Amino acid sequence: MLFQFATRLKELRLKKGYTQKKVAERISREGVSVSKNSLAKYEVGRTYPNLEVAAALADFYDVSL
């Protein structure tokens, strides 16, 4: 399951043409603190985001959790 999440998260980012840094900056501007390093860990399946970050990413990519 973690691998599927990681793969999907990376696909969504690449489809939008954003870097991890750009996504982190945009999410953080919305009031949810997330770093580029955290996004990198999520995308390779090393860890999951907490619910707040997951919800912010879903909103950013316009997908459901």
Side-chain angles (χ1 to χ4, degrees), residues 15-59:
K15 186 176 180 181
K16 293 258 186 184
Y18 291 124
T19 63
Q20 291 171 340
K21 181 179 178 181
K22 188 67 164 178
V23 173
E25 289 171 352
R26 300 267 310 263
I27 299 285
S28 294
R29 268 191 260 145
E30 297 297 319
V32 178
S33 181
V34 64
S35 69
K36 178 210 165 288
N37 290 336
S38 292
L39 287 174
K41 289 177 186 177
Y42 305 151
E43 288 186 6
V44 296
R46 289 188 60 206
T47 187
Y48 280 119
N50 63 34
L51 187 56
E52 180 182 32
V53 173
L57 287 166
D59 286 345

